[in-house]
Amino acid sequence: QALGVMLSMSAHERLLAEDATERGSPLLAALAQRHAQQYRQEFDGALQFNPDTDSSLASDLWIAADSERMLLLSLSPTRYDQAYLEAALKCQRKALGVIDLKVRPALVDEASQAYVAQVRANVDARLTDLLAIRAALSQEGAPDAPQGSGS
């Protein structure tokens, strides 16, 4: 059941990242494309453990995630990047909590433990990436930010 929850989260995060590759600024789109590829690999990796995706927690997460996705898709392009970044940061932080508090304690075999350890490392790296992109985009939007070499 714990891996099913993780699988549901990964599927949602992949959809958000795929949306961002089409709707985000070039900087965000490039990052989202890399993240979407990671999510696909993590999703495929989780399937080898035959996770139970029918739990009430997985269903609740999917419903909340779908609502969040619809909200993001309704935003104007000027508001999209910041909203996506905040949603993605929230997802990554939630993923760390789910992994540490629900998934890891439920695992008994070495293969699934190794898989989840790798996914957790990926989540940490994505969190760092998202924070860096958020900082870079806020610098681009700052009124006193340098506008290029010719200014």
Side-chain angles (χ1 to χ4, degrees):
Q1 181 179 5
L3 282 173
V5 169
M6 207 168 86
L7 188 71
S8 294
M9 291 181 73
S10 181
H12 163 64
E13 291 166 4
R14 186 189 79 237
L15 290 173
L16 289 182
E18 288 171 350
D19 293 341
T21 62
E22 296 176 17
R23 295 182 47 102
S25 66
L27 187 60
L28 180 64
L31 175 70
Q33 186 172 20
R34 273 197 336 265
H35 287 184
Q37 183 179 359
Q38 283 181 348
Y39 294 130
R40 279 190 292 278
Q41 291 169 347
E42 290 170 8
F43 186 89
D44 292 345
L47 291 176
Q48 70 181 319
F49 300 107
N50 298 316
D52 174 13
T53 57
D54 293 329
S55 73
S56 61
L57 179 56
S59 296
D60 290 348
L61 283 170
W62 190 256
I63 291 167
D66 198 42
S67 296
E68 183 175 52
R69 182 174 182 235
M70 292 301 111
L71 175 67
L72 284 171
L73 291 174
S74 73
L75 294 174
S76 68
T78 56
R79 297 188 57 219
Y80 181 81
D81 281 7
Q82 187 63 35
Y84 170 80
L85 286 168
E86 295 308 317
L89 285 164
K90 183 177 80 174
C91 283
Q92 296 308 304
R93 289 177 179 127
K94 188 171 194 163
L96 289 175
V98 167
I99 289 169
D100 292 342
L101 300 175
K102 295 192 182 304
V103 177
R104 279 183 162 173
L107 301 176
V108 292
D109 66 280
E110 287 184 30
S112 62
Q113 290 171 352
Y115 166 76
V116 170
Q118 180 58 55
V119 170
R120 193 186 191 292
N122 292 347
V123 172
D124 275 332
R126 284 192 294 267
L127 193 54
T128 300
D129 288 347
L130 290 163
L131 290 169
I133 292 293
R134 183 173 69 176
L137 289 175
S138 69
Q139 287 289 18
E140 280 182 11
D144 57 351
Q147 296 298 317
S149 58
S151 306

PDB file of all heavy atoms in Angstrom, residues 69-86:
ATOM      1  N   ARG A  69      -3.834  20.388 -10.296  1.00  0.00           N
ATOM      2  CA  ARG A  69      -3.428  20.454 -11.702  1.00  0.00           C
ATOM      3  C   ARG A  69      -4.393  21.329 -12.504  1.00  0.00           C
ATOM      4  O   ARG A  69      -3.973  22.147 -13.317  1.00  0.00           O
ATOM      5  CB  ARG A  69      -3.372  19.052 -12.298  1.00  0.00           C
ATOM      6  CG  ARG A  69      -2.919  19.051 -13.740  1.00  0.00           C
ATOM      7  CD  ARG A  69      -2.725  17.642 -14.271  1.00  0.00           C
ATOM      8  NE  ARG A  69      -2.259  17.706 -15.636  1.00  0.00           N
ATOM      9  CZ  ARG A  69      -2.854  17.095 -16.641  1.00  0.00           C
ATOM     10  NH1 ARG A  69      -3.934  16.358 -16.435  1.00  0.00           N
ATOM     11  NH2 ARG A  69      -2.373  17.203 -17.856  1.00  0.00           N
ATOM     12  N   MET A  70      -5.676  21.156 -12.285  1.00  0.00           N
ATOM     13  CA  MET A  70      -6.672  21.970 -13.004  1.00  0.00           C
ATOM     14  C   MET A  70      -6.505  23.461 -12.684  1.00  0.00           C
ATOM     15  O   MET A  70      -6.605  24.308 -13.569  1.00  0.00           O
ATOM     16  CB  MET A  70      -8.089  21.512 -12.672  1.00  0.00           C
ATOM     17  CG  MET A  70      -8.449  20.134 -13.204  1.00  0.00           C
ATOM     18  SD  MET A  70      -8.314  20.031 -15.002  1.00  0.00           S
ATOM     19  CE  MET A  70      -6.906  18.950 -15.182  1.00  0.00           C
ATOM     20  N   LEU A  71      -6.208  23.759 -11.439  1.00  0.00           N
ATOM     21  CA  LEU A  71      -5.980  25.150 -11.052  1.00  0.00           C
ATOM     22  C   LEU A  71      -4.756  25.710 -11.780  1.00  0.00           C
ATOM     23  O   LEU A  71      -4.812  26.814 -12.338  1.00  0.00           O
ATOM     24  CB  LEU A  71      -5.789  25.260  -9.537  1.00  0.00           C
ATOM     25  CG  LEU A  71      -5.433  26.654  -9.033  1.00  0.00           C
ATOM     26  CD1 LEU A  71      -6.601  27.613  -9.237  1.00  0.00           C
ATOM     27  CD2 LEU A  71      -5.032  26.600  -7.574  1.00  0.00           C
ATOM     28  N   LEU A  72      -3.681  24.959 -11.803  1.00  0.00           N
ATOM     29  CA  LEU A  72      -2.467  25.422 -12.492  1.00  0.00           C
ATOM     30  C   LEU A  72      -2.723  25.645 -13.978  1.00  0.00           C
ATOM     31  O   LEU A  72      -2.273  26.642 -14.547  1.00  0.00           O
ATOM     32  CB  LEU A  72      -1.325  24.415 -12.313  1.00  0.00           C
ATOM     33  CG  LEU A  72      -0.643  24.401 -10.958  1.00  0.00           C
ATOM     34  CD1 LEU A  72       0.306  23.219 -10.859  1.00  0.00           C
ATOM     35  CD2 LEU A  72       0.084  25.705 -10.703  1.00  0.00           C
ATOM     36  N   LEU A  73      -3.448  24.739 -14.596  1.00  0.00           N
ATOM     37  CA  LEU A  73      -3.720  24.870 -16.030  1.00  0.00           C
ATOM     38  C   LEU A  73      -4.612  26.063 -16.343  1.00  0.00           C
ATOM     39  O   LEU A  73      -4.612  26.558 -17.473  1.00  0.00           O
ATOM     40  CB  LEU A  73      -4.347  23.583 -16.570  1.00  0.00           C
ATOM     41  CG  LEU A  73      -3.417  22.376 -16.622  1.00  0.00           C
ATOM     42  CD1 LEU A  73      -4.182  21.122 -17.023  1.00  0.00           C
ATOM     43  CD2 LEU A  73      -2.248  22.619 -17.561  1.00  0.00           C
ATOM     44  N   SER A  74      -5.349  26.553 -15.348  1.00  0.00           N
ATOM     45  CA  SER A  74      -6.234  27.699 -15.584  1.00  0.00           C
ATOM     46  C   SER A  74      -5.513  29.039 -15.455  1.00  0.00           C
ATOM     47  O   SER A  74      -6.076  30.074 -15.808  1.00  0.00           O
ATOM     48  CB  SER A  74      -7.409  27.657 -14.610  1.00  0.00           C
ATOM     49  OG  SER A  74      -6.988  28.003 -13.301  1.00  0.00           O
ATOM     50  N   LEU A  75      -4.284  29.029 -14.981  1.00  0.00           N
ATOM     51  CA  LEU A  75      -3.566  30.284 -14.744  1.00  0.00           C
ATOM     52  C   LEU A  75      -3.020  30.887 -16.033  1.00  0.00           C
ATOM     53  O   LEU A  75      -2.696  30.172 -16.990  1.00  0.00           O
ATOM     54  CB  LEU A  75      -2.398  30.048 -13.783  1.00  0.00           C
ATOM     55  CG  LEU A  75      -2.774  29.650 -12.366  1.00  0.00           C
ATOM     56  CD1 LEU A  75      -1.527  29.317 -11.570  1.00  0.00           C
ATOM     57  CD2 LEU A  75      -3.566  30.752 -11.689  1.00  0.00           C
ATOM     58  N   SER A  76      -2.866  32.199 -16.011  1.00  0.00           N
ATOM     59  CA  SER A  76      -2.254  32.898 -17.144  1.00  0.00           C
ATOM     60  C   SER A  76      -0.764  32.553 -17.187  1.00  0.00           C
ATOM     61  O   SER A  76      -0.168  32.195 -16.163  1.00  0.00           O
ATOM     62  CB  SER A  76      -2.423  34.409 -16.992  1.00  0.00           C
ATOM     63  OG  SER A  76      -1.653  34.863 -15.892  1.00  0.00           O
ATOM     64  N   PRO A  77      -0.137  32.666 -18.356  1.00  0.00           N
ATOM     65  CA  PRO A  77       1.294  32.370 -18.468  1.00  0.00           C
ATOM     66  C   PRO A  77       2.159  33.192 -17.507  1.00  0.00           C
ATOM     67  O   PRO A  77       3.167  32.693 -17.013  1.00  0.00           O
ATOM     68  CB  PRO A  77       1.618  32.702 -19.924  1.00  0.00           C
ATOM     69  CG  PRO A  77       0.319  32.524 -20.640  1.00  0.00           C
ATOM     70  CD  PRO A  77      -0.739  32.949 -19.661  1.00  0.00           C
ATOM     71  N   THR A  78       1.759  34.417 -17.222  1.00  0.00           N
ATOM     72  CA  THR A  78       2.572  35.244 -16.326  1.00  0.00           C
ATOM     73  C   THR A  78       2.542  34.748 -14.878  1.00  0.00           C
ATOM     74  O   THR A  78       3.485  34.994 -14.133  1.00  0.00           O
ATOM     75  CB  THR A  78       2.103  36.719 -16.359  1.00  0.00           C
ATOM     76  OG1 THR A  78       0.719  36.771 -16.023  1.00  0.00           O
ATOM     77  CG2 THR A  78       2.332  37.336 -17.726  1.00  0.00           C
ATOM     78  N   ARG A  79       1.516  34.042 -14.496  1.00  0.00           N
ATOM     79  CA  ARG A  79       1.405  33.531 -13.130  1.00  0.00           C
ATOM     80  C   ARG A  79       1.794  32.058 -13.020  1.00  0.00           C
ATOM     81  O   ARG A  79       1.974  31.544 -11.930  1.00  0.00           O
ATOM     82  CB  ARG A  79      -0.030  33.716 -12.633  1.00  0.00           C
ATOM     83  CG  ARG A  79      -0.411  35.200 -12.570  1.00  0.00           C
ATOM     84  CD  ARG A  79      -1.728  35.461 -11.909  1.00  0.00           C
ATOM     85  NE  ARG A  79      -1.732  34.916 -10.555  1.00  0.00           N
ATOM     86  CZ  ARG A  79      -2.791  34.314 -10.017  1.00  0.00           C
ATOM     87  NH1 ARG A  79      -3.906  34.193 -10.696  1.00  0.00           N
ATOM     88  NH2 ARG A  79      -2.739  33.842  -8.794  1.00  0.00           N
ATOM     89  N   TYR A  80       1.936  31.400 -14.147  1.00  0.00           N
ATOM     90  CA  TYR A  80       2.116  29.955 -14.154  1.00  0.00           C
ATOM     91  C   TYR A  80       3.421  29.509 -13.492  1.00  0.00           C
ATOM     92  O   TYR A  80       3.415  28.617 -12.641  1.00  0.00           O
ATOM     93  CB  TYR A  80       2.036  29.408 -15.585  1.00  0.00           C
ATOM     94  CG  TYR A  80       2.189  27.914 -15.621  1.00  0.00           C
ATOM     95  CD1 TYR A  80       1.112  27.091 -15.342  1.00  0.00           C
ATOM     96  CD2 TYR A  80       3.424  27.330 -15.887  1.00  0.00           C
ATOM     97  CE1 TYR A  80       1.242  25.719 -15.337  1.00  0.00           C
ATOM     98  CE2 TYR A  80       3.568  25.957 -15.881  1.00  0.00           C
ATOM     99  CZ  TYR A  80       2.480  25.154 -15.604  1.00  0.00           C
ATOM    100  OH  TYR A  80       2.623  23.793 -15.589  1.00  0.00           O
ATOM    101  N   ASP A  81       4.555  30.103 -13.896  1.00  0.00           N
ATOM    102  CA  ASP A  81       5.844  29.625 -13.389  1.00  0.00           C
ATOM    103  C   ASP A  81       5.893  29.610 -11.867  1.00  0.00           C
ATOM    104  O   ASP A  81       6.262  28.601 -11.261  1.00  0.00           O
ATOM    105  CB  ASP A  81       6.996  30.477 -13.914  1.00  0.00           C
ATOM    106  CG  ASP A  81       7.408  30.139 -15.331  1.00  0.00           C
ATOM    107  OD1 ASP A  81       6.737  29.322 -15.984  1.00  0.00           O
ATOM    108  OD2 ASP A  81       8.427  30.697 -15.788  1.00  0.00           O
ATOM    109  N   GLN A  82       5.555  30.721 -11.250  1.00  0.00           N
ATOM    110  CA  GLN A  82       5.616  30.815  -9.790  1.00  0.00           C
ATOM    111  C   GLN A  82       4.655  29.820  -9.140  1.00  0.00           C
ATOM    112  O   GLN A  82       5.010  29.145  -8.172  1.00  0.00           O
ATOM    113  CB  GLN A  82       5.324  32.241  -9.336  1.00  0.00           C
ATOM    114  CG  GLN A  82       5.528  32.450  -7.854  1.00  0.00           C
ATOM    115  CD  GLN A  82       6.963  32.236  -7.410  1.00  0.00           C
ATOM    116  OE1 GLN A  82       7.904  32.543  -8.136  1.00  0.00           O
ATOM    117  NE2 GLN A  82       7.149  31.683  -6.229  1.00  0.00           N
ATOM    118  N   ALA A  83       3.457  29.716  -9.662  1.00  0.00           N
ATOM    119  CA  ALA A  83       2.475  28.791  -9.093  1.00  0.00           C
ATOM    120  C   ALA A  83       2.939  27.340  -9.256  1.00  0.00           C
ATOM    121  O   ALA A  83       2.789  26.520  -8.331  1.00  0.00           O
ATOM    122  CB  ALA A  83       1.115  28.998  -9.756  1.00  0.00           C
ATOM    123  N   TYR A  84       3.498  27.020 -10.430  1.00  0.00           N
ATOM    124  CA  TYR A  84       4.012  25.665 -10.639  1.00  0.00           C
ATOM    125  C   TYR A  84       5.123  25.363  -9.643  1.00  0.00           C
ATOM    126  O   TYR A  84       5.149  24.294  -9.026  1.00  0.00           O
ATOM    127  CB  TYR A  84       4.531  25.466 -12.072  1.00  0.00           C
ATOM    128  CG  TYR A  84       5.283  24.165 -12.198  1.00  0.00           C
ATOM    129  CD1 TYR A  84       4.602  22.967 -12.345  1.00  0.00           C
ATOM    130  CD2 TYR A  84       6.677  24.128 -12.095  1.00  0.00           C
ATOM    131  CE1 TYR A  84       5.276  21.756 -12.406  1.00  0.00           C
ATOM    132  CE2 TYR A  84       7.358  22.929 -12.155  1.00  0.00           C
ATOM    133  CZ  TYR A  84       6.663  21.749 -12.312  1.00  0.00           C
ATOM    134  OH  TYR A  84       7.335  20.551 -12.353  1.00  0.00           O
ATOM    135  N   LEU A  85       6.056  26.299  -9.497  1.00  0.00           N
ATOM    136  CA  LEU A  85       7.176  26.070  -8.589  1.00  0.00           C
ATOM    137  C   LEU A  85       6.695  25.842  -7.161  1.00  0.00           C
ATOM    138  O   LEU A  85       7.184  24.932  -6.480  1.00  0.00           O
ATOM    139  CB  LEU A  85       8.159  27.244  -8.643  1.00  0.00           C
ATOM    140  CG  LEU A  85       9.020  27.289  -9.896  1.00  0.00           C
ATOM    141  CD1 LEU A  85       9.745  28.621  -9.996  1.00  0.00           C
ATOM    142  CD2 LEU A  85      10.007  26.131  -9.919  1.00  0.00           C
ATOM    143  N   GLU A  86       5.745  26.633  -6.719  1.00  0.00           N
ATOM    144  CA  GLU A  86       5.227  26.445  -5.362  1.00  0.00           C
ATOM    145  C   GLU A  86       4.536  25.088  -5.228  1.00  0.00           C
ATOM    146  O   GLU A  86       4.711  24.392  -4.225  1.00  0.00           O
ATOM    147  CB  GLU A  86       4.296  27.592  -4.977  1.00  0.00           C
ATOM    148  CG  GLU A  86       4.996  28.937  -4.874  1.00  0.00           C
ATOM    149  CD  GLU A  86       6.237  28.940  -3.996  1.00  0.00           C
ATOM    150  OE1 GLU A  86       6.205  28.346  -2.901  1.00  0.00           O
ATOM    151  OE2 GLU A  86       7.254  29.532  -4.407  1.00  0.00           O
TER     152      GLU A  86
END
